[in-house]
Amino acid sequence: MKRWAPNEDASDLVGLSGYINAEGVALVLQRCGDDLTRENLLKQDTTIPNARVGMLLAGIDLNNSPSDYTLYHKLRLARFDGTSWVLIGEAVSESD
């Protein structure tokens, strides 16, 4: 953030979200390899199994399919203890 967006607050969740999204785009492009056709891009973008990107919390990964485009199927709860965020419990899935 200091290097590429020095006027932005590094603790702002918008920056974190943008970074995670950029990592996701990079993942899809890597999966495409040299076949950058629309068909292959859509195939790779809609068949992501258990992918990890660097800024996601432990236990959270990306999963989707052609019938379910939703990438996030789990979440982690946290509370602010006055100094930092403390994780509460394990990752919770949408079926819990």
Side-chain angles (χ1 to χ4, degrees), residues 1 5-16:
M1 290 288 287
N7 296 327
E8 300 299 323
D9 181 1
S11 65
D12 188 342
L13 291 179
V14 172
L16 175 62

Side-chain angles (χ1 to χ4, degrees), residues 16-26 72:
L16 175 62
S17 177
Y19 190 89
I20 291 170
N21 288 335
E23 282 191 304
V25 169
Y72 298 98

Side-chain angles (χ1 to χ4, degrees), residues 48-91:
I48 298 174
N50 304 316
R52 291 280 308 142
V53 293
M55 298 299 285
L56 291 177
L57 293 172
I60 307 297
D61 49 17
L62 306 177
N63 289 283
N64 71 359
S65 70
S67 62
D68 181 3
Y69 289 176
T70 306
L71 278 172
Y72 298 98
H73 294 271
K74 294 181 181 179
L75 61 88
R76 294 286 310 257
L77 297 177
R79 67 177 167 75
F80 191 69
D81 69 2
T83 306
S84 63
W85 289 95
V86 178
L87 293 175
I88 300 171
E90 298 295 318

